[in-house]
Amino acid sequence: MMEIITAEQLMEYLGDYILDAKPKEISEIQRLNYEQNMSDAMAILHKLQTGLDVNVKFTGVRVFEYTPECIVFDLLDIPLYHGWLVDPQVADIVKAVGNCSYNQLVEKIISCKQSENSELVSEGFVAEQFLNNTATQLTYHGLCELTSAVQEGELCVFFRNNHFSTMTKYKGQLYLLVTDQGFLTEEKVVWESLHNVDGDGNFCDSEFHLRPPSDPETVYRGQQDQIDQDYLMALSLQQEQQNQEINWEQIPEGISDLELAKKLQEEEDRRASQFYQEQEQAAAQVQQVQGAASPASARQSGSNERKRKEPREKEREKEKNSCVLL
């Protein structure tokens, strides 16, 4: 019954859900394993406000390198997909990419370029071309695999270009939840179809009926604002990765779930406050750069300032020349 929910409230709800979802009748080993996963998930829960570190592998739509961030999706039972796959029919790319994750492939390309072995140099070139040609992080083979893997009516998360989107499947077609700022006033636009790799899908309402935006120009400006915000968020995420994680060894043994949740919430609030401060600083830096990049506007402002000063000087001159009757 709430129209607006803050990020802090959402984090609190997710934390409570993870604590309440703890299995009751499990073995001691399973309990310890679950509690460790729960602690790892709580430690990175605050990153949901900025971004999670996930690393795709190019062999399957559900294949990611294991990172602590992936535990959140497991505990919440939310399927995580991507569509950045290598076409198995292209043998040279399959050989060049292999079973590497994205980070491993970048390191491999750098290593191959520095090698004196011509075969390795060629392999590195093929891998680099693959990354360049699939910069949208979605291939048609991946799109076909996604369409087959996602179940009808399933709610899941789709990862692409460092973004997480809510995805569902309706009558065999994939749809992404529209969340860009440009659609804030578009009450009828809810879903966007995902049917090609270029990103120009069709917009639909909540019943999946076609609903084009009423004002494309407003939508474009809002999307540009969203891109700017994403840039600031990326800067904050980069800073966030440099921060220290919670030292779990310092937490006393035998602490209750409630006390643990309170400690985690305090740490989460502190980091959220720090994130917003960094975001404001980054926004101020962007504004300074934009202001420095437009000298014409500065000159115009200066001329306007002189125009404003001139009448004032004339008024002061009049006051000097005028006489006062007592």
Side-chain angles (χ1 to χ4, degrees), residues 96-144:
V97 175
N99 194 39
C100 292
S101 65
Y102 172 76
N103 291 343
Q104 292 170 340
L105 187 60
V106 171
E107 293 175 359
K108 179 180 178 179
I109 292 171
I110 297 173
S111 176
C112 288
K113 281 185 174 182
Q114 298 172 348
S115 174
E116 297 180 356
N117 188 324
S118 59
E119 184 177 347
L120 288 178
V121 172
S122 175
E123 197 170 294
F125 176 76
V126 171
E128 187 176 30
Q129 284 296 107
F130 166 73
L131 292 183
N132 292 335
N133 295 336
T134 59
T136 61
Q137 298 188 7
L138 179 64
T139 63
Y140 279 106
H141 173 65
L143 187 57
C144 292

Side-chain angles (χ1 to χ4, degrees), residues 241-256:
Q241 291 174 345
Q242 298 174 359
N243 292 342
Q244 280 189 332
E245 300 292 340
I246 296 177
N247 188 354
W248 292 98
E249 296 179 356
Q250 296 180 357
I251 296 180
E253 297 183 2
I255 187 172
S256 66

Side-chain angles (χ1 to χ4, degrees), residues 1-68:
M1 302 302 294
M2 296 175 63
E3 294 184 359
I4 298 176
I5 182 170
T6 65
E8 289 78 8
Q9 288 173 314
L10 184 57
M11 296 304 104
E12 183 180 348
Y13 290 152
L14 288 176
D16 291 342
Y17 179 84
I18 292 176
L19 291 173
D20 293 339
K22 181 178 178 181
K24 305 300 181 185
E25 298 179 359
I26 54 176
S27 65
E28 182 65 17
I29 296 178
Q30 290 175 323
R31 184 184 66 80
L32 293 175
N33 183 54
Y34 183 87
E35 288 181 353
Q36 181 60 51
N37 289 339
M38 185 173 63
S39 298
D40 293 341
M42 288 291 193
I44 58 93
L45 200 61
H46 67 282
K47 291 185 179 180
L48 288 173
Q49 301 182 57
T50 54
L52 298 179
D53 178 22
V54 298
N55 193 15
V56 305
K57 289 193 172 184
F58 307 96
T59 54
V61 294
R62 293 291 304 272
V63 184
F64 293 83
E65 182 184 2
Y66 178 81
T67 58

Side-chain angles (χ1 to χ4, degrees), residues 266-286:
E266 291 173 358
E267 178 67 16
E268 191 176 305
D269 293 340
R270 183 189 66 79
R271 287 178 171 173
S273 175
Q274 181 179 355
F275 160 69
Y276 289 123
Q277 291 176 0
E278 292 169 354
Q279 191 176 35
E280 290 177 357
Q281 293 173 358
Q285 292 175 359
V286 171

Side-chain angles (χ1 to χ4, degrees), residues 46-326:
H46 67 282
K47 291 185 179 180
L48 288 173
Q49 301 182 57
T50 54
L52 298 179
D53 178 22
V54 298
N55 193 15
V56 305
K57 289 193 172 184
F58 307 96
T59 54
V61 294
R62 293 291 304 272
V63 184
F64 293 83
E65 182 184 2
Y66 178 81
T67 58
E69 283 81 352
C70 294
I71 298 176
V72 175
F73 295 95
D74 293 337
L75 290 179
L76 297 174
D77 196 23
I78 298 175
L80 178 63
Y81 293 93
H82 74 91
W84 201 1
L85 300 188
V86 171
D87 190 339
Q89 296 180 356
V90 187
D92 58 339
I93 299 181
V94 172
K95 180 183 177 182
V97 175
N99 194 39
C100 292
S101 65
Y102 172 76
N103 291 343
Q104 292 170 340
L105 187 60
V106 171
E107 293 175 359
K108 179 180 178 179
I109 292 171
I110 297 173
S111 176
C112 288
K113 281 185 174 182
Q114 298 172 348
S115 174
E116 297 180 356
N117 188 324
S118 59
E119 184 177 347
L120 288 178
V121 172
S122 175
E123 197 170 294
F125 176 76
V126 171
E128 187 176 30
Q129 284 296 107
F130 166 73
L131 292 183
N132 292 335
N133 295 336
T134 59
T136 61
Q137 298 188 7
L138 179 64
T139 63
Y140 279 106
H141 173 65
L143 187 57
C144 292
E145 291 294 308
L146 270 175
T147 306
S148 301
V150 179
Q151 302 298 313
E152 183 72 18
E154 178 183 7
L155 275 176
C156 53
V157 172
F158 177 58
F159 177 76
R160 181 185 184 187
N161 288 331
N162 294 328
H163 280 71
F164 296 89
S165 303
T166 300
M167 182 169 65
T168 192
K169 187 176 182 181
Y170 179 76
K171 292 186 177 180
Q173 173 66 54
L174 297 176
Y175 292 89
L176 302 178
L177 189 66
V178 174
T179 56
D180 281 347
Q181 260 190 340
F183 297 91
L184 188 62
T185 59
E186 299 286 339
E187 297 181 359
K188 298 297 183 181
V189 177
V190 179
W191 298 99
E192 181 182 6
S193 64
L194 180 65
H195 60 267
N196 61 42
V197 301
D198 298 323
D200 52 345
N202 299 319
F203 297 108
C204 305
D205 60 14
S206 59
E207 301 297 325
F208 298 97
H209 300 143
L210 288 176
R211 292 284 184 179
S214 59
D215 188 355
E217 182 62 26
T218 302
V219 169
Y220 171 77
R221 287 198 303 269
Q223 287 176 316
Q224 188 60 44
D225 292 341
Q226 187 72 38
I227 292 173
D228 295 339
Q229 282 197 356
D230 292 340
Y231 172 70
L232 295 176
M233 187 173 292
L235 293 178
S236 299
L237 176 58
Q238 187 176 10
Q239 179 68 28
E240 177 70 26
Q241 291 174 345
Q242 298 174 359
N243 292 342
Q244 280 189 332
E245 300 292 340
I246 296 177
N247 188 354
W248 292 98
E249 296 179 356
Q250 296 180 357
I251 296 180
E253 297 183 2
I255 187 172
S256 66
D257 289 344
L258 180 59
E259 292 173 336
L260 175 61
K262 287 181 178 179
K263 285 183 176 294
L264 292 170
Q265 187 64 47
E266 291 173 358
E267 178 67 16
E268 191 176 305
D269 293 340
R270 183 189 66 79
R271 287 178 171 173
S273 175
Q274 181 179 355
F275 160 69
Y276 289 123
Q277 291 176 0
E278 292 169 354
Q279 191 176 35
E280 290 177 357
Q281 293 173 358
Q285 292 175 359
V286 171
Q287 290 178 354
Q288 290 176 357
V289 171
Q290 290 175 345
S294 56
S297 62
R299 288 196 298 272
Q300 184 178 359
S301 175
S303 62
N304 292 337
E305 186 67 24
R306 287 194 296 273
K307 289 179 181 178
R308 286 195 296 268
K309 286 181 179 179
E310 288 174 1
R312 292 175 185 168
E313 292 174 356
K314 290 180 179 179
E315 289 177 3
R316 284 197 293 270
E317 191 67 26
K318 286 182 179 180
E319 291 175 358
K320 290 180 180 178
N321 298 331
S322 61
C323 58
V324 180
L325 296 177
L326 298 178

